[in-house]
């Protein structure tokens, strides 16, 4: 659950938490810094989920879309330009777009089912194209995941599709935290290369 994303140590009044520079973190993520992504994830996951939940409503779908957004943040980080706006605004724009896309997709699916129930057989070309693109994108991600080593694939899946922290992944796989971070960094870099995304 998203509650697990909270830091293990709660700041106290005597030891206030230092403000996090999200712009700097996102720029580090653009340079393939997996540790920076872990910290960024912890900082923004709650906000991303909350925004998506307000649009999508359904909790399970909201979690799924939130994970898609955070994977997109990792992949698209090289395109972030702090001169054009802050990191949080950039991330929430992606989240809002993905949430709206999910709602529209659900509405389109409901309309297709209704037309099918009424005996309609013709599906607009744009909807067919959208379905094909979605399937192809999922297939590309699946193939790229299969190109990882077993531990890389397990780590990436648990962290970015299961919503687990690096520490939780280490505990689930019963391997050292440092090993998880190394495998995650290597695995995500291979995923980025496989998907044709290049850092600038």
């Amino acid at each position: 659950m998203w509650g697990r994303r909270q830091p293990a140590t709660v700041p106290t009044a005597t030891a206030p938490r230092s403000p996090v520079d999200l712009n700097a973190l996102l720029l580090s993520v653009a340079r393939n810094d997996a540790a920076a992504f872990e910290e960024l994830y912890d900082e923004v996951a709650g906000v991303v989920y909350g925004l998506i939940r307000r649009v999508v409503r359904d909790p399970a779908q909201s979690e799924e879309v939130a994970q898609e957004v955070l994977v997109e943040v990792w992949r698209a980080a090289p395109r972030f330009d702090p001169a054009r706006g802050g990191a949080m605004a950039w991330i929430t724009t992606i989240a809002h777009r993905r949430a709206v896309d999910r709602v529209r997709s659900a509405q389109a699916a409901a309309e297709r089912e209704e037309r099918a129930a009424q005996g309609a057989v013709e599906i607009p070309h744009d909807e067919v194209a959208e379905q094909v693109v979605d399937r192809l994108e999922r297939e590309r991600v699946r193939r790229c995941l299969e190109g990882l080593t077993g531990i890389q694939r397990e780590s990436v899946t648990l962290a970015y599709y299961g919503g687990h922290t690096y520490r939780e992944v280490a505990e689930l796989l019963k391997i050292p935290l440092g090993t998880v971070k190394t495998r995650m960094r290597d695995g995500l870099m291979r995923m980025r290369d496989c998907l044709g995304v290049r850092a600038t």
Side-chain angles (χ1 to χ4, degrees):
M1 297 297 294
W2 286 91
R4 291 202 301 269
R5 305 305 305 172
Q6 297 301 319
T9 303
V10 178
T12 65
T14 56
R17 185 178 178 182
S18 300
V20 175
D21 186 341
L22 295 181
N23 284 10
L25 280 178
L26 191 49
L27 290 171
S28 293
V29 172
R31 296 190 294 271
N32 299 325
D33 187 334
F37 183 72
E38 179 185 10
E39 186 175 355
L40 182 72
Y41 189 119
D42 287 334
E43 290 294 328
V44 306
V47 174
V48 166
Y49 175 74
L51 185 155
I52 293 168
R53 178 71 187 275
R54 286 195 294 273
V55 177
V56 176
R57 303 293 183 183
D58 179 77
Q61 286 200 49
S62 296
E63 289 190 9
E64 184 178 327
V65 175
Q67 289 300 320
E68 292 172 359
V69 167
L70 291 162
V71 170
E72 183 174 350
V73 167
W74 167 259
R75 290 172 53 189
R79 297 201 298 267
F80 170 64
D81 181 0
R84 300 177 62 182
M88 184 59 81
W90 186 78
I91 293 168
T92 54
T93 296
I94 294 174
H96 185 264
R97 185 181 69 243
R98 283 271 189 166
V100 170
D101 286 348
R102 176 59 65 94
V103 170
R104 287 176 177 165
S105 177
Q107 289 173 341
E111 290 169 3
R112 285 194 297 271
E113 289 176 6
E114 184 177 349
R115 285 196 298 273
Q118 294 172 352
V121 294
E122 184 176 345
I123 300 177
H125 171 76
D126 286 349
E127 291 181 12
V128 174
E130 180 181 336
Q131 292 175 44
V132 171
V133 169
D134 286 346
R135 289 196 187 105
L136 288 174
E137 181 65 20
R138 285 196 296 270
E139 180 63 19
R140 285 181 65 208
V141 172
R142 185 187 66 78
R143 284 201 308 268
C144 290
L145 279 170
E146 288 177 353
L148 303 181
T149 65
I151 194 168
Q152 286 173 343
R153 184 166 53 252
E154 284 183 302
S155 300
V156 170
T157 301
L158 285 170
Y160 301 116
Y161 292 96
H164 295 285
T165 64
Y166 284 27
R167 190 172 299 281
E168 289 168 344
V169 172
E171 292 172 357
L172 287 168
L173 298 181
K174 303 187 185 310
I175 57 178
L177 178 60
T179 301
V180 168
K181 290 184 176 180
T182 299
R183 297 297 184 271
M184 286 285 292
R185 183 185 66 245
D186 294 345
L188 288 170
M189 288 173 67
R190 289 179 65 178
M191 284 285 290
R192 173 178 281 176
D193 290 342
C194 178
L195 291 165
V197 180
R198 293 291 186 271
T200 56

